[in-house]
Amino acid sequence: MTILIRGGTVVSAAGASPMDVVIDGEKVAALVAPGSEVLGSLAESAERVIDATGRYVVPGGVDGHTHMEMPFGGTTASDTFETGSRAAAWGGTTTIVDFIVHRSGEPVLDGIAAWHDKADGNCAIDFGFHQILSGVDDDALKAMDELMREGVTSFKLFMGYPGVFFSDDGQILRTMQAAADSGALVMMHAENGIAIDVLVAQALARGQRAPGYHGTTRPWETEEEATHRAIMLARIAGAPLYIVHMSAKQAVATLARARDEGLNVFGETCPQYLYLSLEEHLFAPGFEGAKYVCSTPLRSRAEGHQDELWNYLRTNDLSVVSTDHCPFCMKEQKELGVDDFSRIPNGIGGVEHRMDLIYQGVVDGRISLARWVELCATTPARMFGLYPQKGAILAGADADVVVYDPAGTTTIGVDTHHMRLDYSAYEGTVVAGHVDTVISRGRVVVDDGAYLGSKSHGRFLRRGLSQYLL
Ligand code: DUC
Ligand code: ZN
Ligand code: ZN
């Protein structure tokens, strides 16, 4: 199908300009200056013309951190690839990169087949995989090369969750050394899980069982210490490092210092850490706080973490906003921890709302329009070896395009969202901006409030190396 998007303002990581976009089949064919003579004939031959007057035309969002159907915490994340990718599309995200699970002692290569079984033919938008490696051993190190050949070029390690996903410092160092040789990207869950387990046991012994104690038993020091240690190990190995879901301002300050010293290290944060807090959400009355149990935890607003994270996004000390989409329903899932916060499955669902919540940062004067696109599409595409196929509207790129109405508004809530989740972490929040039209590889999947996508549309993306490698 040929589509002409006319009259809009195309926004890239470099800025915004009035431009018409021509889509031919699955690809962007051309960007044309308005008023150009070629437009007349294009407008006549296009099978569909979308009037984007007064709208922004932006690259489809790239969410580099999701957990569809993740078995975790005694249950399984509630969104399947089908339901979660549909919700992502509704929110203007056209690519996800999901994590293949591996647990200590299991054969690593069993995971990729299981993830293809879940995702292939069930995903409304294009998707790639990262690989989790737990308790790294020789089998895991060998598997890394095989996975790289399959287009899985990034590997997540955990300094938290002892006995489940945890790797010790020697295992982390060996993985980083292998990554330094192969060009793989190591992603780190930076929390000192050994110390956290002591604090959790002590809190429970004191009778502190409510969800809020999930936050107080994971103090900022446990994130900052692990962040520092991970950076030092990466420095020894000479490997790049990407730290996921950063929430503590002190940890990001440590990352920023390392970047200033020239180390090739990067940080990601998520909307929940920019909007939600320990006091208002995790310590909400009764069991309400369970909705907000995730790791790293929400941080104190009184201590100013949220404002500092926005600043770090503006200054590029934080490079990417992902969602860490890992939804668990209150009923029968979060409820597993009704008497004991340490049994509440860790995770928040948000794949649908990232573009809108970060656009609100533009409206609030925290980041520029171009930075919105850079944080939500262009940098994640580059970071995970998908650019320029994804992350930008360029001739020859995949036609993943969102027509975004800056004058519209979006009301977030369980009655209107499309995620398979029986609550919303942002219930009642009204944000500026509205996703009008979403195009995934040349197919209109969301059109003015109607869903036109299909679960068989999304294709697996064999990713290249991170484009931030030196
Ligand atoms: N943190 C979460 O909150 N959920 C999934 C895994 C993780 O690291
Ligand atoms: Zn994590
Ligand atoms: Zn995660």
Side-chain angles (χ1 to χ4, degrees), residues 9-17 55-59 355 358-363 365-376 378 404 406:
T9 299
V10 173
V11 185
S12 75
S17 54
R55 310 287 197 274
Y56 294 133
V57 181
V58 301
M355 298 297 279
I358 304 307
Y359 179 70
Q360 182 64 41
V362 178
V363 174
R366 293 180 181 275
I367 55 169
S368 70
L369 194 58
R371 186 72 181 142
W372 171 51
V373 168
E374 190 168 38
L375 288 165
C376 293
T378 313
Y404 198 78

Coordinates of all heavy atoms in Angstrom, one line a residue, residues 9-17 55-59 355 358-363 365-376 378 404 406:
T9 N 4.3 17.8 11.0 CA 5.6 18.2 11.4 C 6.4 17.0 11.7 O 6.0 16.3 12.7 CB 5.6 19.2 12.6 OG1 4.9 20.3 12.2 CG2 7.0 19.6 13.0
V10 N 7.4 16.6 10.9 CA 8.2 15.4 11.2 C 9.2 15.7 12.3 O 9.9 16.7 12.2 CB 8.9 14.9 10.0 CG1 9.8 13.7 10.3 CG2 7.9 14.4 8.9
V11 N 9.2 14.9 13.4 CA 10.1 15.1 14.5 C 11.1 14.0 14.5 O 10.8 12.8 14.4 CB 9.4 15.1 15.8 CG1 10.4 15.5 17.0 CG2 8.2 16.1 15.8
S12 N 12.4 14.4 14.5 CA 13.5 13.4 14.6 C 14.3 13.7 15.9 O 14.1 14.8 16.5 CB 14.4 13.4 13.4 OG 15.2 14.5 13.4
A13 N 15.3 12.9 16.1 CA 16.2 13.2 17.3 C 17.0 14.5 17.0 O 17.5 15.1 17.9 CB 17.2 12.1 17.5
A14 N 17.0 15.0 15.8 CA 17.7 16.2 15.4 C 16.9 17.4 15.4 O 17.4 18.5 15.4 CB 18.4 16.0 14.1
G15 N 15.6 17.3 15.5 CA 14.7 18.4 15.5 C 13.4 18.2 14.7 O 13.1 17.1 14.4
A16 N 12.7 19.3 14.4 CA 11.4 19.2 13.8 C 11.3 20.0 12.6 O 11.8 21.2 12.6 CB 10.3 19.6 14.8
S17 N 10.6 19.5 11.5 CA 10.4 20.4 10.4 C 9.2 19.9 9.6 O 8.8 18.7 9.6 CB 11.6 20.3 9.4 OG 11.9 19.0 9.1
R55 N -0.4 18.1 13.5 CA 0.1 16.9 14.2 C 1.6 16.7 14.1 O 2.2 17.2 13.1 CB -0.5 15.6 13.6 CG -2.0 15.6 13.5 CD -2.7 15.5 14.8 NE -4.1 15.1 14.7 CZ -5.1 16.0 14.5 NH1 -4.9 17.3 14.4 NH2 -6.4 15.5 14.5
Y56 N 2.2 16.0 15.0 CA 3.6 15.6 14.9 C 3.6 14.2 14.2 O 2.7 13.4 14.5 CB 4.3 15.4 16.2 CG 4.4 16.8 17.0 CD1 4.1 16.9 18.3 CD2 5.0 17.9 16.3 CE1 4.2 18.1 19.0 CE2 5.1 19.1 17.0 CZ 4.7 19.2 18.3 OH 4.9 20.4 19.0
V57 N 4.6 14.0 13.4 CA 4.8 12.7 12.7 C 6.1 12.2 13.2 O 7.2 12.7 12.9 CB 4.8 12.9 11.2 CG1 5.0 11.5 10.5 CG2 3.5 13.5 10.7
V58 N 6.1 11.1 14.0 CA 7.3 10.7 14.8 C 7.5 9.2 14.5 O 6.6 8.4 14.1 CB 7.1 10.9 16.3 CG1 6.9 12.4 16.6 CG2 6.0 10.1 16.9
P59 N 8.8 8.8 14.6 CA 9.1 7.4 14.5 C 8.3 6.5 15.5 O 8.2 7.0 16.7 CB 10.6 7.2 14.7 CG 11.1 8.6 15.1 CD 10.0 9.6 15.0
M355 N 5.1 6.5 25.5 CA 5.2 7.7 24.6 C 4.4 8.9 25.2 O 4.9 10.0 25.2 CB 4.7 7.3 23.3 CG 5.4 6.2 22.5 SD 7.1 6.6 22.2 CE 7.0 7.6 20.7
I358 N 6.1 10.3 28.5 CA 7.3 11.1 28.3 C 7.1 12.3 27.5 O 7.7 13.4 27.7 CB 8.4 10.2 27.7 CG1 8.6 8.9 28.6 CG2 9.7 10.9 27.5 CD1 8.9 9.2 30.0
Y359 N 6.0 12.3 26.6 CA 5.6 13.5 25.9 C 5.2 14.6 26.9 O 5.5 15.8 26.8 CB 4.5 13.3 24.9 CG 4.1 14.5 24.2 CD1 5.0 15.2 23.3 CD2 2.9 15.2 24.5 CE1 4.6 16.4 22.7 CE2 2.6 16.4 24.0 CZ 3.4 17.0 23.1 OH 3.1 18.2 22.5
Q360 N 4.6 14.1 28.0 CA 4.2 15.1 29.1 C 5.4 15.9 29.6 O 5.3 17.1 30.0 CB 3.5 14.4 30.2 CG 3.0 15.3 31.3 CD 1.9 16.2 30.9 OE1 1.0 15.8 30.1 NE2 1.9 17.4 31.4
G361 N 6.6 15.2 29.6 CA 7.8 15.9 30.0 C 8.2 17.0 29.0 O 8.8 18.0 29.4
V362 N 7.8 16.9 27.7 CA 8.0 18.0 26.8 C 7.1 19.2 27.2 O 7.5 20.3 27.2 CB 7.7 17.5 25.3 CG1 7.9 18.7 24.3 CG2 8.6 16.3 25.0
V363 N 5.8 18.9 27.4 CA 4.8 19.9 27.8 C 5.2 20.6 29.0 O 5.1 21.8 29.2 CB 3.4 19.2 27.9 CG1 2.4 20.2 28.4 CG2 3.0 18.6 26.6
G365 N 8.2 21.2 30.0 CA 9.4 21.9 29.9 C 10.6 21.1 30.4 O 11.7 21.7 30.7
R366 N 10.5 19.8 30.6 CA 11.6 19.1 31.2 C 12.6 18.6 30.1 O 13.8 18.5 30.4 CB 11.1 17.9 32.0 CG 10.3 18.3 33.2 CD 9.9 17.0 33.9 NE 9.1 17.2 35.1 CZ 9.6 17.4 36.3 NH1 10.9 17.4 36.5 NH2 8.8 17.6 37.4
I367 N 12.1 18.2 28.9 CA 12.9 17.8 27.8 C 12.4 18.4 26.5 O 11.2 18.9 26.5 CB 12.9 16.2 27.7 CG1 11.5 15.7 27.5 CG2 13.7 15.6 28.8 CD1 11.4 14.2 27.1
S368 N 13.2 18.4 25.5 CA 12.7 19.0 24.2 C 12.0 18.0 23.4 O 12.0 16.7 23.7 CB 13.9 19.5 23.4 OG 14.7 18.3 23.0
L369 N 11.3 18.4 22.4 CA 10.5 17.5 21.5 C 11.5 16.5 20.9 O 11.2 15.3 20.8 CB 9.9 18.4 20.4 CG 8.8 17.8 19.6 CD1 7.6 17.3 20.4 CD2 8.3 18.9 18.6
A370 N 12.6 17.0 20.4 CA 13.6 16.1 19.7 C 14.1 15.0 20.7 O 14.3 13.9 20.4 CB 14.7 16.9 19.2
R371 N 14.3 15.5 22.0 CA 14.8 14.6 23.0 C 13.8 13.5 23.3 O 14.1 12.3 23.6 CB 15.2 15.4 24.3 CG 15.8 14.5 25.3 CD 17.3 14.2 25.0 NE 17.9 13.4 26.1 CZ 18.7 12.4 25.9 NH1 19.1 12.1 24.7 NH2 19.2 11.7 26.9
W372 N 12.5 13.8 23.2 CA 11.4 12.8 23.4 C 11.6 11.7 22.4 O 11.6 10.5 22.8 CB 10.1 13.5 23.2 CG 8.8 12.7 23.2 CD1 8.5 11.7 24.0 CD2 7.8 12.7 22.2 NE1 7.3 11.1 23.6 CE2 6.8 11.8 22.5 CE3 7.6 13.5 21.0 CZ2 5.7 11.5 21.7 CZ3 6.4 13.3 20.3 CH2 5.5 12.4 20.6
V373 N 11.8 12.1 21.2 CA 11.9 11.0 20.1 C 13.3 10.3 20.3 O 13.3 9.0 20.1 CB 11.9 11.7 18.7 CG1 12.4 10.8 17.6 CG2 10.5 12.2 18.4
E374 N 14.3 11.0 20.7 CA 15.6 10.3 20.9 C 15.5 9.3 22.0 O 16.0 8.2 21.9 CB 16.6 11.4 21.2 CG 18.1 11.0 21.2 CD 19.0 12.1 21.2 OE1 18.8 13.1 21.9 OE2 20.1 12.1 20.6
L375 N 14.9 9.7 23.1 CA 14.8 8.8 24.3 C 13.9 7.6 24.1 O 14.2 6.5 24.6 CB 14.3 9.5 25.5 CG 15.2 10.6 26.1 CD1 14.4 11.5 27.1 CD2 16.4 9.9 26.9
C376 N 12.9 7.8 23.3 CA 11.8 6.7 23.2 C 12.0 5.9 21.9 O 11.3 4.9 21.8 CB 10.4 7.4 23.2 SG 10.1 8.1 24.8
T378 N 14.9 6.7 18.9 CA 16.2 6.7 18.1 C 17.3 6.0 18.9 O 18.0 5.1 18.4 CB 16.5 8.1 17.7 OG1 15.4 8.7 17.1 CG2 17.6 8.1 16.7
Y404 N 0.9 12.0 15.9 CA 0.6 12.3 17.3 C 0.0 13.7 17.4 O 0.5 14.7 16.8 CB 2.0 12.3 18.0 CG 1.8 12.2 19.5 CD1 1.6 11.0 20.1 CD2 2.0 13.3 20.3 CE1 1.4 10.9 21.5 CE2 1.9 13.2 21.7 CZ 1.6 12.0 22.3 OH 1.4 11.9 23.6
P406 N -0.6 16.8 19.4 CA -0.2 17.5 20.6 C -1.3 18.3 21.3 O -1.2 18.6 22.5 CB 0.9 18.5 20.1 CG 0.6 18.7 18.7 CD -0.1 17.5 18.2

